Amino acid sequence: MLFNRRLFAACLSLLPILGMAEQIPITPPSSSTLPTLADLLTLSSQTSIFFDYARELSLSKILADNTKSITVLAPVNKAVIALPRKPHQSPDNQSKVGVVITEEEYETQSSENVRRWVSAHIIPESPISFAQTTYPTLLEDRTISFALEEGASEDDWSKVTMEDETRIVERMEASNGVLYIIDTTVIV
């Protein structure tokens, strides 16, 4: 829906006549016509598993926040399905044979595992330049490294390889950052 400034101004001029000038705080819609990262992820069927995990967290609010500018590296569903250990599961070195934990402890542990996994896929700045090779993620002490193919321009995302030979398969611009769809997951 396009914003019509004349219509908005006409409506504003009627408020004092209607006695509603102080009752209704009106701010014009954002001038950006781009969707948010949350909108893009909602519409993308190829990254729905990543977004399902992200929605479990309060961290997901930044995906809809237009005051932030972030980069999301969302893995395709096929990559998440292929993981030997799903994002909510504890790493092998943390699971103890014969140890019984309560359901509450399991839920807490699962939630923390998901937070770590999703955080490793978010770079807290946007746009990023692939000329800079390493960026920190929202996961403490976790960075993501990028490498440009020889002769590629620093803005050519299709010629970028991430660590572990991860490739960017699609790029989508949002009002609050950039979504890169990747062919594997970031290792946590």
Side-chain angles (χ1 to χ4, degrees):
M1 182 171 128
L2 293 175
F3 175 62
N4 186 323
R5 292 193 185 280
R6 287 188 193 142
L7 179 60
F8 182 74
C11 290
L12 282 179
S13 68
L14 291 176
L15 290 178
I17 296 169
L18 299 172
M20 301 170 71
E22 273 91 51
Q23 296 174 357
I24 304 174
I26 296 184
T27 56
S30 168
S31 60
S32 175
T33 58
L34 293 173
T36 66
L37 289 163
D39 295 333
L40 291 177
L41 286 164
T42 299
L43 297 173
S44 175
S45 60
Q46 62 182 337
T47 59
S48 61
I49 296 174
F50 172 79
F51 193 45
D52 284 345
Y53 278 115
R55 281 191 302 232
E56 291 180 19
L57 309 168
S58 60
L59 169 69
S60 67
K61 292 176 186 168
I62 66 170
L63 299 173
D65 187 349
N66 275 321
T67 65
K68 306 279 187 227
S69 191
I70 62 173
T71 300
V72 176
L73 305 166
V76 293
N77 291 338
K78 187 176 178 179
V80 180
I81 291 168
L83 287 171
R85 181 182 49 84
K86 302 307 177 222
H88 64 279
Q89 295 174 321
S90 292
D92 290 336
N93 62 357
Q94 286 185 354
S95 59
K96 297 171 181 82
V97 178
V99 174
V100 178
I101 63 172
T102 66
E103 188 173 330
E104 184 179 327
E105 290 171 322
Y106 176 78
E107 289 297 323
T108 301
Q109 197 175 65
S110 293
S111 181
E112 175 59 14
N113 294 337
V114 169
R115 184 201 64 79
R116 289 177 47 78
W117 186 75
V118 171
S119 295
H121 290 83
I122 300 174
I123 298 171
E125 63 183 276
S126 183
I128 60 173
S129 167
F130 296 116
Q132 178 181 334
T133 59
T134 303
Y135 287 92
T137 68
L138 289 182
L139 180 60
E140 309 81 34
D141 300 322
R142 180 64 168 102
T143 59
I144 299 287
S145 297
F146 298 95
L148 278 169
E149 289 179 10
E150 195 166 324
S153 119
E154 67 182 68
D155 297 324
D156 191 356
W157 59 267
S158 66
K159 303 236 189 286
V160 172
T161 305
M162 293 170 46
E163 50 205 42
D164 300 322
E165 300 303 312
T166 300
R167 304 287 305 190
I168 298 171
V169 296
E170 190 172 346
R171 179 188 188 276
M172 293 185 227
E173 192 122 357
S175 60
N176 59 337
V178 177
L179 170 65
Y180 290 103
I181 298 176
I182 57 177
D183 65 356
T184 61
T185 69
V186 173
I187 306 299
V188 179

